[in-house]
Amino acid sequence: MKVVAVNGSPKKKGNTFISLQLVCDELKKDGIQSEIIHLAPLKLQPCTACFKCAEKKNRLCVGVKGDGLNDILPNIFAADALLIGSPTWFSNVTGHVKNFIDRVGIVNRSNDHLLARKPGAAVVAVRRAGGIPTFDAINHFFLINQMIVPGSLYWNVGIGRLPGDCLNDDEGVQTFRRLGQNLAWLLQKLAG
């Protein structure tokens, strides 16, 4: 089994990455592989609503050229579960995550719902407030795409400003660890 985690922060080793890593460390304990993909270097452009992906049905975004989305789509759709991590920017996801959500969502829906019935979980980093709307935005993506959203001890939000500060948020750390444990349990149940 494999989980793909996307880091929507422009900081490669910031609190979003650290929080995703906490979840992935728990998955590893149960023998589940994970891969963290950093969105910022892919320079994802917004969806243009051209619906060429619906015409082609080749599991790729064929309307937007010159960025790295198609490089990662095969891994996203082949994964057994998806984690989406974002820092909180003005009470919402980063532009990287929003472009990812919009374009992956339309390609998914245009190709017979490739993500349906797969687990998906949000991982959010926040300095102080606004993390819940960010958490909600990611979960809306999962729910409209027929994905299964596992819970944890609390909302999957870790608090910290500077890289590494989220490790001082004991409740956040425990929430991410339990999310990894619950996701591993769910994947094992789904695999039978």
Side-chain angles (χ1 to χ4, degrees), residues 67-117:
D67 68 16
L69 182 68
N70 288 332
D71 296 337
I72 65 169
L73 280 179
N75 289 357
I76 299 296
F77 294 136
D80 296 297
L82 178 62
L83 296 170
I84 298 177
S86 182
T88 301
W89 286 9
F90 296 96
S91 293
N92 215 317
V93 297
T94 63
H96 303 295
V97 173
K98 181 59 175 150
N99 290 345
F100 175 85
I101 283 173
D102 290 347
R103 290 181 52 209
V104 171
I106 193 65
V107 172
N108 167 66
R109 296 173 71 83
S110 296
N111 287 273
D112 299 319
H113 304 274
L114 301 167
L115 295 173
R117 299 185 178 147

